[in-house]
């Protein structure tokens, strides 16, 4: 009896929603249909995410050859531009990916159902004695003049959410440009650039010119979201590589040959962004009808609602990181230097997990729209399991190169000592970080934006409290302990939603 009770207990536990995440864990790296689909989306997405930081480093190297004042001026301008852009960029691309994937899946499902109905009608006609010629009349050949005219148009998909994303991207881009142009000087002064500093004029000119590229950036991100929703991450990769290559080639020409200096760097960047947008829009109009038949089809209300929710999430997460940086700065310049370098390494490794999150989001959004719950569970469990494996690999690599890597950034003994304190946290938390970012993709794939936003607010409040308490009691080490708690809480929030079978995951309890 005891053995039967034990067996029954394990069977009941196996039915808990949480255990769905451990399904087929032996096949985590299998090259089956699902594994190949994830790889085809995740790898190009990861490369695309890595391309821009690499191009920015090369861009910085060219500017650094002009002078220290110019480099510092560009640095503070880019910090402002990125911070303002982050508020709009992340919500736009994430929402677009989910909405387009859902709509694309719905369209495919309806097409399949229509084809089945047509086949059934044809079978019925045949059963009552209709001949082949009659069928040809009911379904005209594509060789007819009418079909020849409409055939190319019919091949393009009418995805209302794609049109909505482009409209929202254009509006946000124009608002961002105007905001940065009219507030460039006050923002620079707020960032600590003094009115009599030689940096002010240079930084203001650079930020103003750079802001002209905001519409192209937002439109490009909207287009990338559409391609991601269509499970095509290769086209955005090609466009980004073309644009970044143009940026790198234009930098020496405009900066040194034409002697435009920092302004030349800004112009090169803006030209590159519009080139990326043109490539993306050229490829997009070949597959999607971007002009909706009427204004009512635009899903602007839905975009704004979900966008506001993700905006709350971005602000909450950014606030936590900002508080951590400010607390490190209070400990002194050496603590801040070590923290900044280690934080960048910590966040840079997340690019790999972000690519995996994109794959999970696109596949899950499509599966949820089709109500294919079997694939939903399989995809969610697979990307999360791959995330753990990826995190473990990154932990091993970072632990192996930590001593060598720290010497690349500084020779200061005190800074090196602090960096060596940070590296164990960076290495050990990689699996946790990977899971946190992949859980974001899983939640977005389920269009669970509200849960993502409001749990992040709670996580940020608890984490910021830990930052103040632990930094005051344990100093520099306390900051890293608090950041580890921050990532652990993010993972817990993701596990809680799926593990309890709440919200869009309620089907796991049936």
């Amino acid at each position: 009896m005891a053995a039967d009770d034990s067996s029954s207990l394990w069977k009941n536990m196996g039915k808990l929603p949480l255990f769905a995440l451990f399904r087929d864990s032996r096949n985590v790296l299998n090259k089956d249909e699902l594994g190949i689909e994830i790889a085809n989306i995740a790898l190009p997405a990861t490369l695309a995410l890595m391309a821009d930081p690499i191009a920015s480093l090369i861009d910085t190297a060219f500017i650094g050859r002009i002078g220290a004042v110019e480099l510092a001026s560009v640095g503070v301008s880019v910090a402002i531009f990125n911070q303002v852009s982050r508020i709009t960029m992340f919500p736009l691309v994430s929402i677009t990916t989910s909405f387009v994937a859902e709509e694309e899946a719905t369209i495919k499902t309806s097409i399949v159902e229509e084809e089945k109905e047509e086949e059934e009608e044809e079978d019925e006609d045949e059963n009552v004695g209709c001949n082949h010629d009659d069928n040809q009349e009911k379904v005209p050949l594509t060789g007819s003049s009418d079909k020849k005219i409409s055939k190319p148009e019919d091949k393009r998909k009418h995805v209302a959410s794609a049109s909505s994303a482009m409209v929202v991207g254009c509006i946000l881009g124009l608002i961002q440009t105007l905001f940065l142009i009219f507030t460039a000087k006050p923002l620079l002064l707020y960032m600590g650039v003094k009115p009599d500093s030689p940096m002010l004029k240079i930084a203001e000119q650079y930020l103003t010119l750079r802001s002209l590229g905001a519409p192209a950036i937002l439109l490009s991100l909207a287009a990338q979201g559409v391609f991601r929703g269509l499970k095509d991450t290769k086209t955005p990769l090609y466009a980004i590589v073309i644009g970044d290559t143009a940026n790198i080639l234009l930098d020496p020409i405009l900066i040194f040959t034409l002697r435009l200096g920092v302004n030349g760097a800004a112009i090169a960047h803006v030209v590159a962004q519009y080139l990326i947008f043109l490539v993306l829009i050229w490829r997009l109009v070949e597959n999607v009808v971007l002009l909706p038949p009427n204004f009512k089809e635009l899903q602007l209300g839905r975009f704004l609602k979900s966008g506001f929710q993700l905006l709350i999430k971005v602000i909450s997460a950014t606030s936590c990181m900002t508080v951590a940086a400010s607390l490190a700065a209070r400990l002194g310049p050496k603590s801040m230097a070590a923290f900044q370098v280690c934080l960048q390494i910590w966040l840079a490794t997340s690019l790999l997990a972000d690519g995996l999150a994109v794959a999970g989001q696109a596949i899950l959004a499509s599966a949820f729209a089709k109500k294919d719950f079997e694939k939903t569970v399989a995809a969610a469990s697979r990307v999360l399991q791959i995330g753990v494996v990826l995190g473990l690999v990154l932990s091993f690599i970072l632990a192996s190169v930590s001593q060598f890597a720290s010497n690349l950034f500084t020779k200061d003994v005190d800074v090196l000592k602090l960096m060596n304190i940070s590296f164990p946290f960076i290495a050990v938390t990689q699996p946790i970080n990977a899971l946190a970012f992949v859980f974001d993709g899983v939640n977005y794939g389920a269009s669970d934006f509200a849960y993502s936003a409001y749990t992040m607010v709670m996580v940020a409040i608890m984490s910021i409290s830990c930052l103040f308490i632990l930094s005051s009691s344990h100093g520099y080490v306390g900051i890293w302990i608090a950041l580890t708690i921050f990532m652990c809480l993010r993972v817990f929030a993701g596990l809680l939603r799926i593990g309890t079978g709440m919200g869009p995951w309620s089907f796991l309890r049936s």
Side-chain angles (χ1 to χ4, degrees):
M1 287 291 292
D4 291 340
D5 291 342
S6 177
S7 176
S8 177
L9 178 63
W10 280 108
K11 283 182 180 179
N12 290 330
M13 286 183 67
K15 293 178 181 179
L16 290 174
L18 180 63
F19 282 85
L21 301 179
F22 300 96
R23 179 181 293 187
D24 299 325
S25 56
R26 293 179 181 178
N27 303 325
V28 60
L29 298 178
N30 269 14
K31 295 181 180 178
D32 54 12
E33 185 179 351
L34 180 58
I36 292 170
E37 185 178 13
I38 291 171
N40 286 339
I41 299 173
L43 291 176
T46 302
L47 292 173
L49 289 166
M50 292 173 65
D52 194 54
I54 292 170
S56 296
L57 284 173
I58 297 172
D59 204 29
T60 303
F62 281 119
I63 295 168
R65 293 179 61 187
I66 305 173
V69 173
E70 286 78 5
L71 183 60
S73 303
V74 170
V76 70
S77 297
V78 170
I80 293 171
F81 186 88
N82 288 344
Q83 195 63 27
V84 173
S85 298
R86 184 177 172 81
I87 294 172
T88 52
M89 286 164 55
F90 181 78
L92 177 61
V93 71
S94 297
I95 292 166
T96 303
T97 300
S98 290
F99 288 178
V100 171
E102 289 172 8
E103 195 169 348
E104 167 72 356
T106 305
I107 291 170
K108 283 184 177 179
T109 302
S110 62
I111 290 172
V112 170
E113 289 175 354
E114 286 175 7
E115 288 177 351
K116 284 182 179 179
E117 288 177 2
E118 287 178 2
E119 287 176 3
E120 288 173 0
E121 287 176 3
E122 288 176 4
D123 290 341
E124 288 176 4
D125 290 341
E126 287 176 3
N127 290 335
V128 295
C130 287
N131 59 26
H132 182 70
D133 292 331
D134 291 335
N135 286 333
Q136 289 294 331
E137 284 181 351
K138 292 179 191 294
V139 184
L141 292 171
T142 55
S144 67
S145 58
D146 290 341
K147 278 289 179 180
K148 281 183 179 178
I149 294 170
S150 61
K151 188 177 178 182
E153 186 72 14
D154 291 342
K155 280 188 174 182
R156 295 196 299 164
K157 301 168 185 174
H158 179 67
V159 186
S161 50
S163 306
S164 305
M166 300 306 291
V167 171
V168 172
C170 183
I171 293 170
L172 290 176
L174 291 172
I175 291 172
Q176 185 174 322
T177 295
L178 294 172
F179 173 77
L180 288 173
I181 288 174
F182 289 108
T183 62
K185 189 172 182 179
L187 287 172
L188 288 165
L189 294 171
Y190 175 78
M191 289 291 288
V193 180
K194 297 179 180 179
D196 58 347
S197 172
M199 290 171 54
L200 183 60
K201 185 178 179 181
I202 298 170
E204 187 177 358
Q205 288 179 345
Y206 182 88
L207 184 57
T208 302
L209 285 171
R210 182 79 178 263
S211 66
L212 298 177
I217 293 173
L218 271 298
L219 283 167
S220 296
L221 284 167
Q224 286 183 54
V226 176
F227 279 112
R228 287 180 181 183
L230 298 174
K231 299 180 183 178
D232 176 10
T233 50
K234 291 181 181 177
T235 301
L237 172 61
Y238 299 147
I240 290 168
V241 169
I242 291 169
D244 286 345
T245 302
N247 189 4
I248 293 168
L249 293 175
L250 285 171
D251 267 340
I253 296 171
L254 296 176
I255 294 172
F256 304 113
T257 306
L258 298 180
R259 298 182 180 181
L260 294 176
V262 168
N263 291 342
I267 294 169
H269 191 87
V270 171
V271 170
Q273 293 303 324
Y274 277 97
L275 181 58
I276 291 171
F277 166 66
L278 289 174
V279 173
L280 287 171
I281 202 71
W282 166 56
R283 295 294 298 164
L284 192 59
V285 295
E286 291 182 350
N287 300 297
V288 177
V289 179
L290 290 180
L291 293 176
N294 55 69
F295 184 79
K296 292 180 180 179
E297 285 200 16
L298 293 176
Q299 305 170 6
L300 298 182
R302 191 182 178 204
F303 265 82
L304 292 174
K305 179 183 176 181
S306 299
F308 177 73
Q309 290 167 346
L310 282 190
L311 178 61
I312 292 172
K313 176 171 183 173
V314 171
I315 293 172
S316 300
T318 304
S319 298
C320 192
M321 293 298 177
T322 304
V323 169
S326 66
L327 291 172
R330 291 180 188 180
L331 296 174
K334 292 188 177 181
S335 294
M336 183 57 191
F339 178 80
Q340 192 63 27
V341 171
C342 292
L343 183 65
Q344 293 307 312
I345 295 171
W346 198 53
L347 296 176
T349 53
S350 70
L351 291 175
L352 297 171
D354 276 343
L356 188 59
V358 169
Q361 180 183 1
I363 296 171
L364 283 169
S366 177
F368 267 108
K370 294 177 182 176
K371 296 184 179 179
D372 186 351
F373 297 132
E374 186 66 29
K375 185 168 184 178
T376 299
V377 175
S381 59
R382 183 70 68 88
V383 292
L384 288 166
Q385 290 165 15
I386 294 173
V388 173
V389 173
L390 175 63
L392 292 171
V393 171
L394 289 172
S395 290
F396 175 77
I397 293 171
L398 288 171
S400 302
V401 304
S402 60
Q403 292 296 325
F404 169 74
S406 57
N407 289 315
L408 290 175
F409 296 98
T410 183
K411 299 296 181 183
D412 189 292
V413 176
D414 293 329
V415 175
L416 283 171
K417 185 179 178 180
L418 290 169
M419 287 180 67
N420 289 333
I421 292 172
S422 307
F423 268 112
F425 288 98
I426 296 171
V428 170
T429 56
Q430 286 308 306
I432 300 169
N433 293 1
L435 274 176
F437 292 119
V438 175
F439 263 122
D440 284 344
V442 169
N443 285 330
Y444 301 156
S447 291
D448 207 2
F449 300 115
Y451 179 80
S452 295
Y454 300 128
T455 52
M456 181 60 80
V457 172
M458 296 175 65
V459 166
I461 291 170
M462 289 186 283
S463 300
I464 290 171
S465 300
C466 289
L467 277 166
F468 282 111
I469 295 168
L470 293 172
S471 64
S472 62
S473 60
H474 292 81
Y476 183 79
V477 175
I479 295 173
W480 282 102
I481 294 173
L483 287 177
T484 302
I485 292 171
F486 170 62
M487 300 307 293
C488 287
L489 288 173
R490 289 180 63 175
V491 173
F492 176 75
L495 282 171
L496 184 66
R497 190 65 157 177
I498 300 176
T500 55
M502 300 297 288
W505 302 96
S506 58
F507 69 89
L508 290 173
R509 292 186 279 114
S510 60

